[in-house]
Amino acid sequence: MPHILVAPSILAADFSNLEADIHRVEEAGADWLHLDIMDGHFVDNISFGPALVAAVRKQTKLPLDVHLMIERPDHFLPRFLEAGANSITVHVESESRHEVPKTLAAIRAAGCGVGLTLNPATPFDAIAPFLDAIDLLLIMTVHPGFGGQAFRPEMMEKVRRAKEWRDAHGGKLNIEVDGGINAETARLSIENGANILVAGTSIFRAPDYAKAIRDLRGE
Ligand code: DX5
Ligand code: ZN
């Protein structure tokens, strides 16, 4: 059983006091920080870009898990690498307008962790050809674009298929879930094979961040 990692999504953090919130969640036991990049085109929302990633980089030594919900991630990749991303995840859907194998290879060539993700409506077979080329498969458990949405339990079928692939191929692939993750949906996701839990609302809206993170781990 791989170690369970918790990656708070700073989309739910207090932007007016981001430095304090980053230090607070780090002291509370976060393993990674999840940064949601939204361009208002690939998703119907705008969040933040490389400049904020660089600012977060200065505040923490935690690995930065950058989730690119943008068109042309290949074009913007160098800026996120420059900003200090440790892992970069791109979408497989054609609406993101890039050549997936080329972009994955460019992330790899930069010595950065390579992630691929699919929306709820996208079948597992769309990412299957790329499983050998990635370190992390992010299975969206909500349609991307906003925090605070309801978890979609039917996505567990994809988590199970990813786990089967991982078990049959050396067990290294990280399986991450993102969207509506709380203590209950985290338990379900772990039972089906996930080992990285992204959570925004259930951590940053909790009075006690450390307890929220322990609850996600099921401790
Ligand atoms: C949604 C983002 C998620 C989101 C998670 O598109 O990819 O990372 O911020 O937020 P919660 O945990 O509130 O669903
Ligand atoms: Zn995300």
Side-chain angles (χ1 to χ4, degrees):
M1 178 70 178
H3 180 57
I4 303 300
L5 301 178
V6 174
S9 165
I10 68 161
L11 188 69
D14 175 1
F15 280 18
S16 68
N17 204 359
L18 190 56
E19 180 180 349
D21 241 0
I22 289 169
H23 294 157
R24 202 175 149 204
V25 83
E26 185 166 358
E27 280 147 28
D31 300 291
W32 293 5
L33 285 183
H34 184 83
L35 290 94
D36 291 303
I37 315 300
M38 303 174 180
D39 66 352
H41 294 282
F42 181 73
V43 289
D44 185 24
N45 196 4
I46 298 172
S47 60
F48 43 80
L52 191 118
V53 174
V56 173
R57 179 73 289 165
K58 286 195 196 125
Q59 295 303 328
T60 179
K61 290 198 172 31
L62 288 176
L64 301 186
D65 173 34
V66 174
H67 177 191
L68 296 181
M69 290 162 274
I70 65 175
E71 290 181 351
R72 298 297 315 281
D74 53 332
H75 173 73
F76 293 98
L77 182 60
R79 297 175 216 185
F80 290 100
L81 292 167
E82 175 79 23
N86 299 93
S87 180
I88 294 179
T89 298
V90 297
H91 274 265
V92 73
E93 291 80 15
S94 60
E95 290 82 1
S96 57
R97 299 176 50 216
H98 68 116
E99 290 180 55
V100 174
K102 276 195 181 161
T103 309
L104 299 179
I107 300 170
R108 174 74 64 206
C112 186
V114 183
L116 185 63
T117 183
L118 67 170
N119 290 344
T122 305
F124 187 85
D125 292 344
I127 55 93
F130 307 109
L131 287 169
D132 276 317
I134 61 175
D135 305 304
L136 180 153
L137 175 64
L138 166 52
I139 292 164
M140 291 303 303
T141 44
V142 297
H143 186 73
F146 300 90
Q149 299 182 76
F151 175 86
R152 300 173 68 154
E154 69 273 20
M155 294 304 116
M156 292 303 101
E157 193 261 338
K158 293 179 186 173
V159 175
R160 286 194 295 278
R161 288 190 63 183
K163 180 182 183 306
E164 280 160 23
W165 188 92
R166 177 180 63 196
D167 295 348
H169 293 82
K172 282 219 174 60
L173 179 71
N174 282 313
I175 302 171
E176 185 175 52
V177 287
D178 183 12
I181 301 297
N182 56 34
E184 191 202 330
T185 56
R187 184 181 48 72
L188 185 65
S189 300
I190 293 168
E191 278 170 8
N192 284 281
N195 67 299
I196 307 182
L197 309 168
V198 174
T201 308
S202 65
I203 294 176
F204 287 107
R205 299 286 177 277
D208 180 339
Y209 289 5
K211 180 178 181 313
I213 290 174
R214 286 197 304 276
D215 289 348
L216 287 169
R217 285 190 220 287
E219 291 170 358

